[in-house]
Amino acid sequence: MATPHDASHHLAGVHPVIAGLVDTFGPCRLGTKPSASQRFETLANAIVSQQLAGVAANTIWRRLVAAVGPVFTPAAVCATAPEALRAAGLSAAKAASIVDLAQRVQSGALDLSTLGRLPDARVTEALTQVRGIGPWTADMFMIFALRRLDVWPTGDLGVRVGFGRAFSLAETPTALQLAPLGDPFRPYRSVLAWYCWRAVEVRPKPAADGKKVRKTQQK
């Protein structure tokens, strides 16, 4: 099975823009893969991070973990007063989402331990039954918790901005426009997304041969 390191080197050979990003940032690093028992915490963290910058999301997450107690489990979340969740900095909608997730996992309605056996579409279907979880959160879960290397999160603004910058597009592509632009990079589009996030941090050098990915027109 390929690793993110292997995928990075493969993509570097697919397009010189990615080769430049690999030279700048090194191989893709997705962190330590969480165990099945840690998936609840990983998913709750993804909910906290929705539509927030990294610093703000990390601050709220630390406060939430402190409010819930020493072990962040579904039972512990269900036992935490709603006021304590809100005091940690969660919006009412995110607090309700995390509680709904906790209740579904605790009751067995959602079995996070078996999601790794399901295809991407089924994972997304299962997770989006939870209040407040949409395709973006499902994509983040598949990339960072399940370590799937061919997830293409077109709904992520950072990925769209980074792709546009890296490939010198005239405009940031929409989610619809971005979808086919990832096709040449299958089966490692998760790793492509990681480099798009990195491209937001610094504008990469132009490709040596001047190649660009042609912007697909929205139909």
Side-chain angles (χ1 to χ4, degrees):
M1 181 180 296
T3 67
H5 187 282
D6 298 331
S8 299
H9 288 290
H10 172 84
L11 293 183
V14 170
H15 200 286
V17 163
I18 306 302
L21 290 169
V22 173
D23 286 343
T24 300
F25 296 103
C28 173
R29 300 175 298 279
L30 296 178
T32 303
K33 181 178 180 180
S35 65
S37 63
Q38 295 172 313
R39 289 176 182 173
F40 169 74
E41 185 172 348
T42 301
L43 193 52
N45 196 339
I47 293 172
V48 170
S49 300
Q50 291 170 352
Q51 299 180 328
L52 288 178
V55 174
N58 290 337
T59 298
I60 294 173
W61 175 250
R62 288 195 298 269
R63 292 173 180 168
L64 177 62
V65 170
V68 169
V71 182
F72 196 92
T73 63
V77 169
C78 291
T80 303
E83 296 78 9
L85 300 178
R86 293 295 309 279
L90 292 177
S91 65
K94 287 186 179 180
S97 179
I98 290 175
V99 169
D100 187 44
L101 171 65
Q103 291 174 339
R104 288 174 182 269
V105 174
Q106 189 175 33
S107 70
L110 175 62
D111 186 354
L112 297 178
S113 67
T114 63
L115 289 185
R117 306 171 197 166
L118 302 179
D120 291 357
R122 291 281 305 281
V123 173
T124 299
E125 180 183 2
L127 292 180
T128 53
Q129 299 302 308
V130 178
R131 175 175 178 171
I133 289 185
W136 179 87
T137 305
D139 286 345
M140 295 305 104
F141 181 82
M142 287 189 287
I143 292 172
F144 294 104
L146 301 183
R147 285 297 189 275
R148 297 197 173 173
L149 296 184
D150 196 34
V151 177
W152 189 218
T154 58
D156 187 280
L157 179 60
V159 171
R160 299 203 304 272
V161 170
F163 192 98
R165 288 184 181 179
F167 290 95
S168 302
L169 301 183
E171 298 177 355
T172 297
T174 65
L176 183 62
Q177 291 167 340
L178 185 64
L181 296 179
D183 288 345
F185 305 96
R186 292 175 183 269
Y188 300 126
R189 291 175 299 170
S190 300
V191 175
L192 172 63
W194 188 88
Y195 283 109
C196 289
W197 286 317
R198 304 290 77 74
V200 175
E201 301 172 8
V202 61
R203 190 178 297 274
K205 297 178 181 178
D209 62 358
K211 289 182 180 179
K212 295 182 181 180
V213 173
R214 183 174 299 170
K215 183 177 179 182
T216 301
Q217 297 297 318
Q218 185 171 354
K219 295 182 180 179

